């Protein structure tokens, strides 16, 4: 069967905005997939094996926390019975949350991939409490869940170097949202959609990422290109057209300029777990 798209899994009800539950031991071995418009935070207190995110493998060495963004391709290869919790958060939860500080905490967490907290019983306890509150669905559950989540995220963030410059900059958020919806090698396209100028977009990217807007766009295009090369059967031509490159040779040169090899060379040497 020809794969034209990366597998997408939905592990949360369409009616729910958040899900917190123990890690499913039946998910020890999964195929590469991405999530349907939600981020996932996974905490392991026990277990061993590997977690693959895009092209990188990370050992499961508890206690450990993995942050899986909605666009990332990932899968598990877990050797022993795992113990831990999973939090699935949709954008709808962030839009409706009463405590907007949680949004900031999640922005800080999404800058991370792997967090190694110390043996901290309070993290396990907060996961258990949050899971219990979700299941009980009692009066005032939203406030209680948000309070527990805020405490949990605060505790986790004590084990990472927080980017103090992270903010709720509206232009930055809208640029990120556009990049998630449409990838196109054209700064002017994004500037027009954001009702700003290319100069303003460049200034934002240099301030936040120390890169030009075109380089930030290229980072996203190259990352998604690699995913499509590794996890689908799409040809280089089909991928080029997907990103609105009308000249395939231009796309190949674009990829090689940034990566030092052509897309086919990358696919040939890349190891897909």
């Amino acid at each position: 069967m020809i794969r034209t798209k990366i597998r997408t899994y939905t592990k949360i009800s369409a009616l729910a905005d958040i899900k917190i539950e123990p890690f499913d031991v039946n998910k020890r071995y999964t195929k590469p997939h991405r999530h349907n418009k939600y981020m996932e935070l996974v905490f392991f207190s026990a277990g061993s094996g590997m977690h693959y995110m895009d092209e990188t493998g990370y050992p499961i060495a508890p206690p450990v926390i993995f942050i899986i963004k909605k666009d990332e391709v990932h899968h598990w290869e877990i050797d022993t019975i795992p113990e831990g919790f999973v939090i699935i958060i949709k954008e709808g939860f962030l839009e409706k949350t009463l405590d907007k500080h949680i949004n900031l905490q999640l922005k800080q967490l999404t800058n991370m991939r792997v967090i190694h907290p110390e043996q901290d019983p309070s993290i396990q306890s907060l996961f258990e409490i949050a899971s219990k509150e979700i299941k009980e669905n009692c009066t005032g559950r939203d406030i209680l869940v948000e309070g527990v989540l805020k405490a949990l995220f605060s505790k986790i963030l004590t084990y990472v170097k927080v980017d103090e410059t992270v903010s709720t900059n509206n232009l930055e958020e809208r640029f990120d949202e556009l990049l998630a919806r449409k990838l196109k090698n054209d700064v002017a396209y994004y500037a027009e959609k954001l009702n700003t100028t290319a100069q303003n977009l460049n200034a934002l990217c240099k301030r936040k990422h120390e890169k030009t807007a075109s380089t930030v766009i290229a980072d996203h295009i190259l990352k998604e290109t690699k995913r499509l090369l590794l996890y689908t059967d799409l040809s280089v031509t089909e991928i080029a057209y997907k990103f609105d490159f009308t000249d395939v040779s231009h796309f190949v040169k674009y990829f090689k300029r940034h990566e030092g090899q052509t897309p086919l060379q990358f696919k040939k040497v890349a190891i897909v777990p």
Side-chain angles (χ1 to χ4, degrees), residues 158-170:
T158 63
Y159 295 104
V160 303
K161 184 178 180 182
V162 175
D163 182 0
E164 299 292 349
T165 65
V166 170
S167 67
T168 54
N169 182 289
N170 191 38

Side-chain angles (χ1 to χ4, degrees), residues 229-230 261-271:
L229 287 168
L230 293 176
Q261 57 187 336
T262 68
L264 288 180
Q265 287 171 335
F266 167 81
K267 186 169 185 175
K268 186 176 180 180
V269 301
I271 299 174

